[in-house]
Amino acid sequence: MKKFVSLFTDSYRELKSVRTITTAAMFGAVAIVLGMFSINMGNYIRISFSSIPNGIVSYLFGPVVGGLFSGSMDVLKYLLKPTGAFFPGLTLVTVLAGIMYGCMYYRKPVTLRRVLVSKLLVMLVCNVILNTMCLSILYGKGFMVLLPARALKNLVMWPIDSMIFYSMAKALDTMGVFKTIRKVGTARTK
């Protein structure tokens, strides 16, 4: 339990760093650009690659920063390119996803198994159950009417999203990007 709580306290300390804010801002710009190229399939299904920066920020800085980053990016992307009605419940689910990724990635090695498990959990809890519930409330459609198409979309996207995130994270790690970001942060705090 102490280890779990330290994820949040350490992540909160990361939030106070200029390095964290500037790195998150750069990944935020990437997320906005990637969000502009999302594919909408009706009102209920959207395919986007803007979750990659969310996962990377959660990996680098933990659940507190990941949750705040994901939520703020959700609102900012909506303001820049509104699709449908704004619903705060969907933003809260996005915050939860950032927190979940932060809990599963922060200070842990990026492995394919970890990415597959974390993506599956986030897709089941956030995308399939909670987002479908929010869309049901927002559009007045029955939960069970929306669920099959959303579950199928997430089932299909699960290995694709996992492989894309894993490949990007491994490439950035191999190039030394993560090490450089962390080194800059530890050099400044000494």
Side-chain angles (χ1 to χ4, degrees), residues 44-45 127-128 131-132 135 146-154:
Y44 313 114
I45 298 176
N127 297 358
V128 174
N131 274 353
T132 304
L135 290 173
L146 299 173
L147 186 64
R150 293 189 50 78
L152 180 63
K153 177 251 182 185
N154 279 281

Side-chain angles (χ1 to χ4, degrees), residues 77-189:
K77 284 187 277 185
Y78 178 80
L79 292 173
L80 293 173
K81 184 183 174 188
T83 52
F86 180 77
F87 187 66
L90 292 169
T91 301
L92 291 175
V93 173
T94 305
V95 170
L96 177 62
I99 291 169
M100 289 173 71
Y101 283 134
C103 288
M104 292 180 266
Y105 293 152
Y106 189 49
R107 296 192 173 157
K108 296 177 181 107
V110 177
T111 63
L112 183 57
R113 181 177 180 200
R114 183 181 312 282
V115 171
L116 284 167
V117 169
S118 63
K119 287 280 184 188
L120 180 64
L121 285 172
V122 169
M123 284 184 163
L124 281 174
V125 172
C126 296
N127 297 358
V128 174
I129 297 171
L130 295 176
N131 274 353
T132 304
M133 215 179 310
C134 289
L135 290 173
S136 175
I137 293 167
L138 184 62
Y139 292 110
K141 301 277 184 183
F143 178 82
M144 294 307 291
V145 171
L146 299 173
L147 186 64
R150 293 189 50 78
L152 180 63
K153 177 251 182 185
N154 279 281
L155 185 63
V156 168
M157 290 304 295
W158 169 52
I160 297 167
D161 282 352
S162 297
M163 287 307 299
I164 290 171
F165 179 78
Y166 176 74
S167 300
M168 290 297 298
K170 275 305 204 187
L172 291 172
D173 194 26
T174 302
M175 290 187 295
V177 172
F178 296 153
K179 190 175 184 178
T180 302
I181 291 170
R182 288 187 180 119
K183 187 187 294 184
V184 168
T186 55
R188 300 279 165 118
T189 58

